[in-house]
Amino acid sequence: MADTDVEFPILCETCLGENPYVRMTREVQGSECKVCTRAFTVFRWQPGRAMRHKKTEICAPCARLKNVCQTCVLDLEHNLPVQVRDSVLGVANEVPTQPTNRRDYLAKAAQSGTAISDVTSAGAREQLKRMARTDPYYKRNRAHVCSFFVKGQCTRGATCPYRHEMPDGSPELARQNISDRYHGANDPVARRMLARAEKSTDRLTPPDDKSITSLFAVRLDPSLTQDLLSEHFAMYGELKSVVVVEKSSCAFVNFKTRSGAEAAALAARDGCVVNGLSVRLAWGRPRPKGPNDPKDPVTSQSTDKHGLYPSQDPTAHGSVKHQ
């Protein structure tokens, strides 16, 4: 289908706005696509009251090729940057960056219906689900910050269509490029999200304390029972016990051996799925040392015949022994 025949843009729920009766203007060949530089049909609308007017930035064929929104260029399924999605799925960017080659590639792909490669890795899909934003983020549609207000020179006051507040984000995030975001390169938002995801995997790094043989599961679905968890984790090693705390939606999976716990943690790095539901795992923590802990250097000291610790002996503090 030619771009001039498009009757409605390819948009995510956030860019479309929460108003179901949104009104749009349609301009055939109204602008140049930020990716393929071809003229395309431009749509303009206001996603809600006190929101800024938005418009499509890339053409429909380019959006279908990458399965992204025509305005924010985020993945339509997971609402994530292309760079994050492709990095997790291991998909290489095959779209040429040179204008001439890129136009030819996109034209052939649009005719053949080629889309992003299907990936069957369950672990990668689960990782995307954990990183995805499930609810629309309508704050993204707010008006931009008034640059004159930042400089202290805005004289419009309450009639100014821009926000009168100081920017609190990183300056790097304000310098985003539509083409780079589409190709999944040099995207500051994606870099920040990938760095955050890399840190979250540290919770599955085996602790130095070899006595820890337990895994902690959080955000459990109520349908995941003790029997289902036991059946799943028993494949990695012999279990000592599985304790489900329904009130806190968590569970403790206790293995008899350290090797079994490490095998389960290693398998969960790409995502843990139990009975079709995602489970978030972390290593358990060592138990706090009690007064009878033989490993405690203080409590393990021997007492005298009266049952006193050395620190309780009055003669050990320079006191004079009474006759």
Side-chain angles (χ1 to χ4, degrees), residues 34-35 73 82-83 93 97 175-188:
K34 298 288 179 50
V35 177
V73 199
V82 174
Q83 185 174 347
N93 178 36
T97 56
R175 296 190 295 269
Q176 299 184 50
N177 184 278
I178 294 293
S179 179
D180 289 343
R181 192 188 306 176
Y182 178 84
H183 292 288
N186 301 322
D187 189 344

Side-chain angles (χ1 to χ4, degrees), residues 268-291:
R269 280 189 170 272
D270 292 332
C272 178
V273 181
V274 181
N275 199 32
L277 298 171
S278 178
V279 176
R280 185 177 181 182
L281 290 179
W283 276 93
R285 296 180 180 179
R287 293 183 177 180
K289 297 179 180 180

